[in-house]
Amino acid sequence: MGHLLHLDRTLDELDPPCWTPPAADATHLVRKVHELRRARLGELRPADLRILISQQVALPYVLPLTVHLLLDEPLLDACFYEGDLLLAAVGAPASAWAVLPDLTARLRAVLSTLPETAVAGLPRGGAEELARFVARPESLR
């Protein structure tokens, strides 16, 4: 989890180039993502991580922070429902996970221990999404 060593830095610093300010007519989501890129990594909340992952922003830095949280609480409710952060994370592209093989293995191990009743409580398609992540061939992780 080497990327966790940069908790005092921002995504704009770690993931160049720095983004220019959003356009005046930018959506709330665009403005929020720009704002999150200027926040220190250590200040990002689970809901912030979910947004960044869903928008595929700076995944080499965001996924390690997310996995750190999910190892302790896999079904963490970041914003909308139990497991929303987890589903965002496992939905990240395989190429993003490929550069984080140790974290992938650790998250897969945790997912393998989740009770079936907990997984069944995820929104439609959630259990299948987790199963695909766990079963993904090593070459695609």
Side-chain angles (χ1 to χ4, degrees), residues 24-106:
D25 63 346
T27 66
H28 173 73
L29 178 61
V30 168
R31 287 192 309 274
K32 182 66 175 177
V33 171
H34 279 258
E35 174 189 322
L36 294 175
R37 281 192 53 92
R38 293 187 307 270
R40 295 178 194 267
L41 290 186
E43 296 170 358
L44 296 175
R45 300 176 328 250
D48 302 330
L49 296 172
R50 188 195 57 74
I51 290 170
L52 291 166
I53 292 169
S54 296
Q55 297 303 305
Q56 298 185 17
V57 174
L59 293 176
Y61 297 96
V62 175
L63 285 174
L65 290 172
T66 301
V67 171
H68 180 72
L69 294 173
L70 295 174
L71 292 176
D72 290 333
E73 191 177 346
L75 297 176
L76 177 69
D77 180 343
C79 187
F80 297 115
Y81 54 85
E82 275 192 359
D84 60 350
L85 182 59
L86 175 60
L87 290 177
V90 301
S95 58
W97 287 105
V99 298
L100 303 167
D102 294 341
L103 291 177
T104 303
R106 292 179 68 190

